[in-house]
Amino acid sequence: MAEKPSIAIGQVMENRSVAPGHFLLTIRLPLSFATPIPGQFVMIRDPDRDEPLLPRPISVYGFQREEGHAILNLLCRVAGRGTSLFSRMNRGGALTVLGPLGRGFTIDPDVRQLLLVAGGVGAAPLTFLLQEGSLPEPHSGKRQVTAYLGAGTAELLTGLNRFEGFCDLRTATDDGSRGYHGNVTECLALDLAGYDAKSTLILACGPGAMIRSLALLLRDTRIRCQVSLEERMACGVGACLGCAVAIQEGEGRTGYRRVCKDGPVFDIGELLWNSPEESMSLS
Amino acid sequence: METDKNTVVPGRLVVELCGLALKNPVMTASGTFGYGEEYAPFCDLNRLGAIVVKGLSLEPRLGNPPPRIMETPCGMLNAVGLQNVGVRAFIAEKLPFLRQFNVPVIANIFGETIDEYRRVTEILTRAAGVHAIEVNISCPNVKKGGVAFGAHPDAAAAVTEAVRGETDLPVIVKLTPNVTDITEIARAVESAGADAVSLINTLTGMSVDIERRRPHLANVTGGLSGPAVKPVALRMVWQVVRSVQIPVIGIGGISTAEDALEFLITGAKAVQIGTTNFIHPAATMEIIDGIEDYMIRHRIGCMKDLIGSLQIVF
């Protein structure tokens, strides 16, 4: 059960560039800030600015408690004006942090093989899963964790150090500069037959094209898969209905769900596809 | 009678609106506060003047395809398309939560036909825990409804009359700014039996992604809200206050107590807080406190002495 969200003023302890267009924010928060579940996100905003107006949703990359504070790590990609301003924030700067928000990943105890599939900055919420204590223990025996990380180039494989040594790792780059030469879904496809459908769970996060290709790949298998989606948001708490995603509700009925409140994690089978190649909601 | 205006008088902020005693003039704007529950972790709902819930239609509505929102300079565009659970699910699933609080619940309604407005009103009037009806005749997002009613005095009056005939609850008509003369519509709904008007709804706007040469919103156009619209909203409130006898509720870009005070001084009897809830989930609480601080600082003992106290003297 997720803890209650709150609004806190955080202080930037470190803001570091980790790859071209990617930065890692470390924010000190009051100890009272609830512990996020992997897959949950926060809404952040610079309280000293009148614009951009809206806070920006960023998934949790790491969270610890130390010396009377909570420490929140956010791995961000510069996607527009809001994130561009965050990338230039200095140590000591203030950030309003609302969270933790949304529904995170759910890992059943019968899962023996966990596959983490990420494209680009989509690695962030999956990294948090690998943090000590974040993964629930399996019912019996050991759980195998394998990560498939993809990016345009080797230097864009962000957060790699948080995977190396913590799980089996496969990498894929579009330019072939590291690991498999091609996209991460193709890389996973090569291994897929080797995984037992009943005991395997895929947790994925990445750009729309990756989610689409993953849905196509898994369509004829029985492997369970949860994906964390990204969408423009205003409120982050389920009120504005701005972050709609089209969902198959069963019995042929369709509807929109809120990425912020009903997600951001959804079963990949719930997502509604206009046609196998196209989604109504993922761009 | 002389009272000590430096102390906090319980009820200093009380406003009487269409027979409802509001603890203060600060309400939430429809569509920006969900059904109340979404903001309960951040706000003491009991402190609000009133809660105006997300717009309700007779049947549930899916809403528009995404993308539905886009930030613009000091504002945002939305084309949610009036997605809602429908009036019956609201009463069964959302209203019981709101009944726990000692705060008036105002149900915002809309329809695509006059009969639909009438039926939604009838259903809500029978439900316990609804204190007033706010009639949306102005939402610009739905091709068939909304704008057609709100843009013409006759159509606006016809909807008002239909709702009026169906309920003893106070009827507030929410006006669209996307008209040539908003006072003409305000006078029409007043004559048709509205107890109050609220304004403004969003201004229709548009935004284009130049890289992809596509509109940012799947609906192409959307409703502009946020600080960007405040001066326009205030001007329209000023015009309407001078044109009708019924109370005016001011809406549009109110982010702070100072913004709310501008509307109250101009003559709005209450205000609604909208887009700011998305930015500061506890904004309503800060605005209530800020109005009270102002009243104390200016030694104003009751809202009656503040509302409409604008002096145009230079």
Side-chain angles (χ1 to χ4, degrees):
Chain A
M1 189 62 195
E3 292 178 64
K4 214 173 136 178
S6 62
I7 315 161
I9 298 285
Q11 196 182 29
V12 176
M13 295 174 69
E14 194 186 19
N15 191 4
R16 186 159 56 88
S17 171
V18 291
H22 291 71
F23 59 102
L24 178 62
L25 272 170
T26 303
I27 304 163
R28 191 165 71 187
L29 290 168
L31 205 53
S32 58
F33 198 85
T35 304
I37 290 167
Q40 284 194 299
F41 67 97
V42 294
M43 297 289 281
I44 60 170
R45 189 175 185 279
D46 182 346
D48 298 325
R49 298 189 68 95
D50 287 333
E51 61 75 51
L53 196 62
L54 300 171
R56 298 294 190 262
I58 311 282
S59 68
V60 175
Y61 178 71
F63 186 85
Q64 313 91 45
R65 294 182 190 281
E66 59 182 47
E67 293 166 10
H69 295 285
I71 307 292
L72 175 71
N73 304 111
L74 304 175
L75 177 67
C76 315
R77 180 177 63 90
V78 176
R81 179 161 161 77
T83 42
S84 170
L85 288 165
F86 293 142
S87 75
R88 286 178 266 148
M89 282 199 78
N90 293 320
R91 186 189 155 90
L95 275 174
T96 306
V97 183
L98 171 66
L101 301 169
R103 201 183 63 135
F105 294 110
T106 314
I107 301 159
D108 288 340
D110 69 338
V111 172
R112 306 292 299 276
Q113 173 70 61
L114 202 55
L115 304 180
L116 311 180
V117 181
V121 75
L126 303 175
T127 308
F128 185 33
L129 265 169
L130 290 177
Q131 190 182 302
E132 204 184 334
S134 288
L135 274 178
E137 287 298 314
H139 264 333
S140 59
K142 269 184 73 74
R143 183 190 291 120
Q144 188 73 26
V145 182
T146 308
Y148 291 81
L149 303 184
T153 65
E155 65 174 351
L156 292 174
L157 285 166
T158 48
L160 210 54
N161 58 325
R162 300 276 290 265
F163 286 91
E164 280 169 330
F166 294 94
C167 64
D168 289 339
L169 182 62
R170 312 264 196 282
T171 56
T173 49
D174 295 341
D175 69 350
S177 52
R178 177 164 171 164
Y180 177 79
H181 188 171
N183 72 46
V184 72
T185 310
E186 293 163 9
C187 178
L188 171 68
L190 296 175
D191 297 350
L192 202 63
Y195 295 115
D196 167 45
K198 262 181 72 180
S199 60
T200 300
L201 172 66
I202 297 175
L203 305 178
C205 186
M210 186 199 100
I211 307 289
R212 266 199 296 274
S213 64
L214 196 58
L216 272 173
L217 176 67
L218 299 176
R219 197 172 47 172
D220 301 320
T221 75
R222 303 181 68 87
I223 297 178
R224 289 168 284 177
C225 177
Q226 296 169 22
V227 293
S228 178
L229 300 184
E230 196 177 40
E231 187 55 75
R232 282 207 293 263
M233 292 180 189
C235 72
V237 300
C240 75
L241 310 184
C243 59
V245 59
I247 291 286
Q248 189 72 52
E249 294 180 318
E251 294 156 24
R253 284 180 303 117
T254 59
Y256 290 111
R257 290 278 177 271
R258 302 163 295 184
V259 172
C260 71
K261 188 84 174 180
D262 305 312
V265 175
F266 293 89
D267 283 331
I268 203 163
E270 289 180 287
L271 303 180
L272 184 68
W273 314 95
N274 267 348
S275 64
E277 287 77 34
E278 197 187 353
S279 152
M280 275 177 72
S281 54
L282 304 171
S283 54
Chain B
M1 192 181 74
E2 198 59 39
T3 54
D4 180 4
K5 288 177 177 176
N6 281 319
T7 57
V8 178
V9 181
R12 192 194 283 270
L13 298 189
V14 166
V15 174
E16 188 275 330
L17 186 87
C18 315
L20 298 172
L22 311 184
K23 292 183 195 104
N24 59 66
V26 179
M27 308 176 177
T28 59
S30 178
T32 66
F33 210 69
Y35 300 104
E37 206 164 354
E38 290 82 350
Y39 282 93
F42 316 108
C43 292
D44 178 358
L45 301 187
N46 276 319
R47 290 193 61 206
L48 292 166
I51 295 176
V52 185
V53 299
K54 171 80 184 147
L56 300 163
S57 49
L58 190 59
E59 301 301 333
R61 280 182 67 108
L62 292 179
N64 286 333
R68 291 177 169 185
I69 56 168
M70 182 64 201
E71 182 163 342
T72 54
C74 293
M76 66 177 279
L77 289 168
N78 90 81
V80 169
L82 297 169
Q83 178 182 339
N84 80 102
V85 296
V87 67
R88 292 178 191 91
F90 165 74
I91 292 167
E93 294 158 23
K94 308 292 182 184
L95 200 51
F97 172 81
L98 289 167
R99 279 196 207 108
Q100 303 170 69
F101 300 94
N102 177 29
V103 56
V105 173
I106 301 177
N108 180 289
I109 66 159
F110 68 94
E112 291 189 359
T113 62
I114 288 181
D115 190 53
E116 199 179 332
Y117 278 102
R118 193 180 281 131
R119 289 170 67 192
V120 176
T121 305
E122 184 210 332
I123 293 167
L124 285 166
T125 303
R126 277 183 291 152
V130 174
H131 301 84
I133 308 274
E134 182 180 63
V135 189
N136 176 10
I137 58 167
S138 49
C139 189
N141 289 337
V142 179
K143 293 176 189 81
K144 280 177 167 176
V147 79
F149 292 112
H152 301 287
D154 294 347
V159 174
T160 308
E161 214 169 314
V163 172
R164 174 75 289 158
E166 213 58 61
T167 188
D168 295 326
L169 295 171
V171 174
I172 303 161
V173 179
K174 185 169 181 176
L175 304 182
T176 173
N178 304 309
V179 292
T180 309
D181 180 3
I182 197 164
T183 64
E184 190 188 16
I185 313 288
R187 282 192 300 269
V189 302
E190 179 183 41
S191 305
D195 296 298
V197 285
S198 55
L199 61 136
I200 59 173
N201 206 322
T202 56
L203 285 151
T204 305
M206 185 170 161
S207 173
V208 169
D209 178 342
I210 58 165
E211 296 303 323
R212 299 165 73 205
R213 301 191 206 183
R214 285 188 193 180
H216 277 120
L217 301 177
N219 191 58
V220 184
T221 61
L224 179 66
S225 64
V229 310
K230 198 195 78 178
V232 177
L234 193 59
R235 180 265 293 179
M236 289 191 166
V237 164
W238 181 63
Q239 288 180 306
V240 172
V241 161
R242 298 187 306 161
S243 306
V244 297
Q245 304 300 311
I246 53 177
V248 174
I249 301 167
I251 322 166
I254 300 175
S255 311
T256 61
E258 290 74 19
D259 295 338
L261 285 159
E262 285 192 61
F263 280 82
L264 295 167
I265 291 166
T266 298
K269 203 155 185 194
V271 292
Q272 292 182 7
I273 312 303
T275 301
T276 296
N277 292 311
F278 303 153
I279 302 151
H280 304 293
T284 46
M285 304 293 107
E286 288 167 24
I287 291 169
I288 294 165
D289 290 341
I291 294 172
E292 177 132 39
D293 288 348
Y294 173 91
M295 300 277 283
I296 293 168
R297 193 155 43 85
H298 288 265
R299 298 169 177 249
I300 303 169
C302 64
M303 291 303 297
K304 200 158 54 66
D305 293 344
L306 176 75
I307 292 165
S309 59
L310 184 72
Q311 298 174 56
I312 304 178
V313 181
F314 293 97

